């Protein structure tokens, strides 16, 4: 598999500037972990996206960690990770 995109969406404009991080948590061990992107959001923004410039291959035991900070009182968030199967 490989990552196509990662999106973060908030239910309303966020209260303050925030950064969402996208990290590859490698099954091979912490020495292989890598921060793939930081999605910078400004106050009032509702969504952001990361699309890799080059294919990011995933091994079967890898995970993708996405840390989307709180958007403010009553503001919820949703994260989607899109992958493509490589044959």
């Amino acid at each position: 598999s490989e990552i196509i995109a990662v999106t973060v969406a908030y239910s309303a404009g966020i209260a303050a500037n925030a950064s969402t991080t996208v990290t590859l948590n490698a099954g091979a061990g912490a020495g292989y972990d890598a921060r793939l992107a930081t999605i910078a959001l400004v106050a009032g923004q509702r969504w952001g996206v990361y699309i890799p410039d080059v294919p990011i291959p995933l091994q079967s035991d890898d995970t993708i960690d996405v840390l989307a900070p709180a958007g403010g009182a009553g503001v919820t968030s949703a994260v989607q990770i899109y992958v493509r199967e490589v044959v």
Side-chain angles (χ1 to χ4, degrees), residues 8-20:
V8 59
Y10 288 88
S11 60
I14 59 174
N17 294 357
S19 294
T20 296

Side-chain angles (χ1 to χ4, degrees), residues 25-60:
N25 187 352
Y32 297 94
D33 292 352
R35 177 166 295 172
L36 301 176
T38 299
I39 304 170
L41 304 171
V42 297
Q45 193 170 349
R46 291 192 58 195
W47 61 273
V49 64
Y50 161 62
I51 299 173
D53 293 331
V54 297
I56 306 292
L58 298 172
Q59 302 302 314
S60 62

